[in-house]
Amino acid sequence: METSNRNRIITLDEFILKQQKEYTSSTGELTNLLRDIGVAAKIINREVNKAGLVNILGVAGAENESGDTVQKLDIYANDKLIECLGNSGECAAIASEELENFVALPPVAKKKPKYVVVFDPLDGSSNIDVNVSVGTIFSIYRRISDPAGPITIDDFLQPGTSLVAAGYVLYGTSTILVYTTGHGVNGFTLDPSIGEFCISHRDIKIPEDGAYYAVNQGYYLKFDLEMRRYIDHCSDMNFGLRYIGSMVSDIHRIMIQGGIFLYPHTRKYPKGKLRLLYECNPMAMIVEQAGGIAITCNLERILDLPVNDLHQRATISIGSPKMVSEMKAFVEKYSAVKS
Ligand code: P6P
């Protein structure tokens, strides 16, 4: 009896290789890089799942470049990503939300790496000690500096439109890796019994509309008029407020169920809290590839924003096209009134 091909296990590695063959331009380096990230995700997942049992809970004491208190698991995830990205020799350098500056990786014999990788190793890490989902966010640029010379900061200060790939790993009720190389978005769920990420969400398309909004309601009175009026609209429409304080978790829910995620500017974060390089750009590429919209609260497209600093912040409104368009209408109406 012929088994249905559609239901057979397709691992992340097999899928990446298949995608490589479909795009003649790729010569295997990106495949190796994505595989390195998959290995790091499995290792981080193992530690996240037992964080309560070993002495990696709690705060490491330091503050990272963004002023967030660093959790021990942040550091572990950061170090594992760097270690795994050094395996195939396809990554020339990394920039991490946990580190002040970029780090060039040691060369691997005969390799001339043409990519740099940017990551937030454990986003939402304040949730670790209370057993709420956290995530890893990664994105990949081609290096633009002279291949014969050293990596420069310009290799990282590229707009989101230059991204080659972006993805996230959500360490939740199950562990899922979602990524895009610009040809749609696919999700792979980790099967611990075989230690493989297996395809579970093919060609993800974000719902056109939604009934959930994600914003830190506690800052309502600190938002500008137009954002308060849009949030009032969400409440008038009886939309559900879902906010986990972990961007990967909030965005993944929106990718599946539809909705909008907002982080406007506040007095504490006049330029917005979220980091353009480590959080906003990768999430914007993924959401746009799934048919959604990602703009700032001043209505600029996230992926078009010039990147001037590794730890640059941005405001963000991202999610279902219909909801982001409605938010846009409120900004156009009320910010005009305000000015
Ligand atoms: P707030 C986590 O620190 C993070 O960078 C995102 O994952 C999350 O969406 C946001 O900040 C939460 O910020 O100010 O609402 O606690």
Side-chain angles (χ1 to χ4, degrees):
M1 181 180 73
E2 194 180 312
T3 53
S4 148
N5 239 354
R6 186 129 183 97
N7 300 325
R8 77 174 179 80
I9 289 177
I10 296 178
T11 65
L12 174 64
D13 287 1
E14 179 184 350
F15 186 88
I16 294 170
L17 265 174
K18 186 167 167 288
Q19 271 213 326
Q20 173 199 316
K21 290 184 184 115
E22 282 170 16
Y23 303 104
T24 46
S25 58
S26 62
T27 51
E29 290 100 331
L30 185 61
T31 298
N32 293 337
L33 205 45
L34 289 166
R35 187 182 291 134
D36 288 345
I37 292 171
V39 171
K42 290 183 208 173
I43 295 171
I44 295 166
N45 174 68
R46 182 188 62 199
E47 295 308 302
V48 165
N49 283 347
K50 63 181 183 182
L53 300 174
V54 294
N55 180 28
I56 47 175
L57 274 182
V59 169
E63 273 198 351
N64 65 17
E65 282 317 302
S66 305
D68 296 338
T69 303
V70 177
Q71 304 270 2
K72 290 178 184 173
L73 212 46
D74 271 345
I75 295 173
Y76 178 86
N78 185 68
D79 296 350
K80 279 302 159 195
L81 273 159
I82 294 173
E83 182 187 320
C84 292
L85 284 166
N87 288 343
S88 63
E90 308 298 0
C91 177
I94 63 98
S96 167
E97 191 251 345
E98 296 300 336
L99 302 175
E100 179 185 355
N101 215 326
F102 67 85
V103 175
L105 297 190
V108 171
K110 298 197 184 67
K111 287 284 188 183
K112 287 199 178 309
K114 57 186 182 186
Y115 296 107
V116 295
V117 179
V118 172
F119 55 75
D120 182 352
L122 214 59
D123 185 72
S125 53
S126 56
N127 290 310
I128 294 167
D129 289 6
V130 294
N131 215 26
V132 170
S133 303
V134 291
T136 295
I137 308 172
F138 62 88
S139 52
I140 302 172
Y141 289 99
R142 250 180 223 87
R143 66 174 294 189
I144 53 176
S145 55
D146 175 358
I151 288 291
T152 69
I153 189 72
D154 294 337
D155 290 312
F156 295 94
L157 302 185
Q158 301 183 56
T161 44
S162 301
L163 279 170
V164 171
Y168 59 78
V169 184
L170 174 56
Y171 310 100
T173 43
S174 60
T175 296
I176 184 167
L177 185 150
V178 173
Y179 85 95
T180 180
T181 55
H183 307 287
V185 183
N186 291 279
F188 302 80
T189 299
L190 183 63
D191 180 341
S193 67
I194 58 173
E196 290 284 2
F197 280 106
C198 304
I199 198 155
S200 53
H201 297 70
R202 286 174 189 274
D203 194 22
I204 300 174
K205 291 296 175 212
I206 195 167
E208 174 72 17
D209 199 358
Y212 291 106
Y213 66 110
V215 68
N216 188 327
Q217 191 74 21
Y219 303 152
Y220 175 84
L221 293 176
K222 299 177 179 66
F223 293 148
D224 284 349
L225 174 67
E226 61 270 21
M227 296 317 291
R228 283 183 276 125
R229 286 294 174 270
Y230 176 66
I231 293 168
D232 294 344
H233 165 72
C234 292
S235 182
D236 293 342
M237 296 295 287
N238 294 317
F239 292 161
L241 173 57
R242 293 285 186 282
Y243 190 74
I244 298 181
S246 162
M247 188 186 197
V248 174
S249 307
D250 283 320
I251 300 280
H252 185 67
R253 182 191 55 253
I254 290 168
M255 289 284 285
I256 306 300
Q257 294 182 341
I260 187 170
F261 174 93
L262 299 162
Y263 207 115
H265 64 254
T266 61
R267 273 196 291 275
K268 183 179 177 186
Y269 296 112
K271 293 191 166 41
K273 174 189 181 186
L274 301 184
R275 277 66 56 151
L276 178 58
L277 210 57
Y278 304 108
E279 294 167 304
C280 298
N281 267 341
M283 287 308 195
M285 180 182 185
I286 294 164
V287 166
E288 284 199 4
Q289 279 288 315
I293 297 178
I295 56 176
T296 66
C297 295
N298 293 328
L299 311 187
E300 308 139 296
R301 184 187 179 211
I302 292 281
L303 293 179
D304 288 336
L305 293 177
V307 181
N308 306 307
D309 177 88
L310 287 179
H311 297 281
Q312 183 174 332
R313 296 176 188 270
T315 61
I316 188 166
S317 167
I318 182 171
S320 295
K322 190 166 179 303
M323 295 186 83
V324 177
S325 303
E326 280 169 358
M327 168 263 169
K328 213 168 143 184
F330 277 80
V331 172
E332 284 158 353
K333 178 176 177 190
Y334 287 99
S335 52
V337 167
K338 186 180 65 174
S339 55

